Amino acid sequence: MDSNRVRLALVRESTLGTTPGSPRMRPVRFTGEGLNYQPVFFTPAEIRSDRMNTDPAKVNETIGGSLNFELSYPVDGTALSEIYQSALFNLWSNAPQRDNDGTAASAITSVTTGTNIIAVTTGTAFAIGHLIRTTGFGQSANNGINRVTTGGTTSITCSGGGFATEASPAAAARVKVVGFAGVSGDITATATGLGATTLNFTTLGLSVGQWIKIGGTAAADKFATAALNGWARITAIAATALTLDNLPSGWTTDTGSGKTIKVWFGDTIKNGTTFVPQSVEKAFLDLAAPVYMIHRGQVVDSLNHRIETGAAITGDVSFVGMNAAQGTSAFGTTYDSPTTAAVLTGNVSVGQISEAGSAIASPNWARSLSFSVSNNVRRIDAVGNVGAVTLGVGEIGVRGTIATYFGSNALLTKLLAGTVSNLSARAAANSQAIVWQFPRVTFNAGTPNAGGKNQDVMLALDWEASFDSTTNAEIQIDRLEYFET
């Protein structure tokens, strides 16, 4: 049996411990796994005069284990996206979208030329000023980035567009809000963030704590002041003012005269209290008669990530599960194809690691950042039941380590003083990005050491996240399906 012929796939459960009927399985991209489905035995305590033992007896079964992966963009609905939901005990808050998802004209029902109207099934509303990205349409003219001029829940009218009539949009057609834009000269840079006169920021579905990327590729779509075209975080939302922190270095005011400023945002998830269980199937496809194992009621007990120079960004999760089964027939009905998003790396992909709202840079450059999310999940067993009857969950713990070159005592001073800070990291590839933020952290251990001669002195600081009243979270993740540089 060749390990290269092992397939992992999962599906979200609506009932803890029960695989949905006719499940659509999402393949897992992984580098190794240690998923367990095995019995627990005990040796009877009976005393025999011949000094021998009676047969071991089965007590119960254990279900759980681990899997390792290299990080890629967590496409909505894929295995990695589901893993984040299970780990954070919450669902993604998605920007408005419609997706035919394999069936033509199912969610996106028509495109009309001239009027530039896209008809969709009812759902989260699209708003004036939204930037939508359309992909997968049969008519190439219908794929691109356009600004919404008339929104709604069942139709979208766009400016510019130049759409071609498509009576039955293709099975791969997708419409996704990826940002917003103002009319010419409307969006301005203020001392505290962004301002607008015509555009209403409160209608766009933005949230406090969310990250945005300011500026498009074209000169007409970004501020003339280069320092303003970068990443920032929302701290307050009013109709005509978007208050920001973590502002780019050199931030200043700019009227945006003659510019149709584009601003990019995506989906968010933060830690919550809701179980998001998975059924995880492990298939040994290299056997003459393939063997399939289904691990049900799998909830992420711990999630770990490591970002370091000269390596891929890696992750691993540990599951606690309820029950399992195995056989020679697949448990899934259909299986998606794996995503092809690029693996993210510490040097090329990471745009910035920040502390207290500013990039960690000279002379204390960051060499690595690791973090873990622990959920304290426990099995609850009962007499007469094989496996667990349910799962319990304790407090969330978010902890990590950041290693920097010891170029000044700035971070060491914060450790010794117990100064509360915050951390964030951003990675991007192929116009997609993921941002992790820990809005309230305390450094609690670390010291600079000279390990030997001819070495750099490093400062590795352990940290722990705690409740942040602004975001109501210990960890928040943003994913941007598309942005322009």
Side-chain angles (χ1 to χ4, degrees):
M1 172 65 210
D2 193 332
S3 63
N4 292 330
R5 293 282 287 138
V6 174
R7 180 186 67 196
L8 296 182
L10 58 75
V11 62
R12 190 195 313 172
E13 299 172 351
S14 56
T15 301
L16 179 64
T18 302
T19 304
S22 304
R24 175 183 175 181
M25 306 299 287
R26 316 288 185 160
V28 180
R29 295 171 63 178
F30 70 105
T31 58
E33 58 87 16
L35 295 176
N36 296 317
Y37 165 37
Q38 56 186 338
V40 178
F41 286 88
F42 86 106
T43 301
E46 178 183 348
I47 299 173
R48 291 174 54 102
S49 61
D50 58 9
R51 300 178 51 248
M52 290 187 272
N53 293 313
T54 54
D55 294 339
K58 183 175 177 180
V59 177
N60 208 334
E61 294 176 350
T62 60
I63 298 94
S66 62
L67 65 86
N68 310 319
F69 59 91
E70 294 169 334
L71 184 70
S72 57
Y73 178 80
V75 177
D76 184 45
T78 62
L80 184 53
S81 178
E82 292 291 330
I83 286 170
Y84 275 129
Q85 293 185 137
S86 185
L88 270 61
F89 276 63
N90 211 346
L91 300 178
W92 287 96
S93 177
N94 287 330
Q97 61 189 41
R98 302 291 190 277
D99 195 331
N100 279 347
D101 197 22
T103 303
S106 57
I108 306 164
T109 55
S110 68
V111 180
T112 305
T113 189
T115 55
N116 290 330
I117 294 177
I118 304 173
V120 296
T121 55
T122 191
T124 307
F126 297 83
I128 295 172
H130 271 156
L131 287 174
I132 60 169
R133 182 179 183 235
T134 49
T135 57
F137 285 82
Q139 297 286 340
S140 60
N142 296 338
N143 298 313
I145 305 291
N146 290 282
R147 184 179 185 274
V148 175
T149 55
T150 303
T153 59
T154 58
S155 69
I156 315 160
T157 304
C158 296
S159 62
F163 293 150
T165 294
E166 195 165 337
S168 181
R174 176 173 170 81
V175 178
K176 172 72 172 177
V177 169
V178 293
F180 62 87
V183 295
S184 180
D186 186 39
I187 294 181
T188 64
T190 68
T192 57
L194 297 177
T197 302
T198 302
L199 186 66
N200 185 341
F201 291 124
T202 66
T203 65
L204 301 174
L206 302 169
S207 61
V208 171
Q210 189 168 26
W211 282 80
I212 60 174
K213 193 277 174 181
I214 303 166
T217 300
D221 299 333
K222 59 186 176 182
F223 287 108
T225 307
L228 302 178
N229 301 304
W231 295 81
R233 190 184 73 142
I234 300 171
T235 59
I237 306 167
T240 60
L242 206 58
T243 307
L244 307 174
D245 67 4
N246 287 262
L247 291 164
S249 178
W251 184 269
T252 185
T253 59
D254 191 313
T255 63
S257 178
K259 305 284 188 175
T260 53
I261 303 298
K262 291 181 176 178
V263 180
W264 311 94
F265 70 92
D267 311 326
T268 64
I269 186 172
K270 62 181 70 175
N271 57 281
T273 59
T274 303
F275 276 104
V276 187
Q278 309 289 327
S279 284
V280 183
E281 182 192 65
K282 179 162 60 171
F284 300 91
L285 301 176
D286 203 29
L287 298 175
V291 171
Y292 303 85
M293 293 181 174
I294 191 74
H295 306 74
R296 304 187 185 99
Q298 296 278 75
V299 173
V300 174
D301 183 36
S302 66
L303 164 71
N304 302 283
H305 273 311
R306 182 168 179 81
I307 305 168
E308 61 182 329
T309 183
I313 301 174
T314 58
D316 63 82
V317 293
S318 176
F319 289 102
V320 173
M322 288 185 60
N323 60 77
Q326 67 90 28
T328 55
S329 297
F331 290 90
T333 301
T334 59
Y335 293 80
D336 287 0
S337 298
T339 66
T340 57
V343 171
L344 301 172
T345 63
N347 295 80
V348 175
S349 305
V350 175
Q352 186 168 295
I353 295 177
S354 297
E355 183 269 332
S358 299
I360 298 176
S362 176
N364 298 320
W365 299 277
R367 187 171 178 84
S368 67
L369 172 67
S370 61
F371 66 87
S372 65
V373 178
S374 301
N375 290 312
N376 292 292
V377 180
R378 62 189 184 276
R379 288 163 48 98
I380 298 176
D381 300 330
V383 172
N385 187 83
V386 177
V389 291
T390 189
L391 299 176
V393 61
E395 68 178 9
I396 185 172
V398 182
R399 300 173 178 85
T401 300
I402 183 166
T404 70
Y405 292 91
F406 188 54
S408 77
N409 73 340
L411 292 174
L412 180 61
T413 298
K414 291 186 177 183
L415 165 68
L416 298 174
T419 303
V420 174
S421 188
N422 59 74
L423 292 169
S424 66
R426 182 183 73 251
N430 301 325
S431 298
Q432 295 179 317
I434 181 169
V435 183
W436 303 271
Q437 65 166 309
F438 312 94
R440 187 174 180 87
V441 304
T442 302
F443 301 114
N444 54 20
T447 187
N449 290 114
K453 65 180 182 180
N454 303 322
Q455 297 179 9
D456 295 303
V457 176
M458 306 297 295
L459 176 62
L461 292 174
D462 294 341
W463 54 268
E464 183 172 349
S466 52
F467 167 73
D468 174 64
S469 60
T470 300
T471 58
N472 194 33
E474 290 189 15
I475 175 175
Q476 177 170 314
I477 303 172
D478 289 55
R479 63 180 180 193
L480 281 73
E481 188 169 305
Y482 178 83
F483 71 96
E484 292 179 359
T485 57

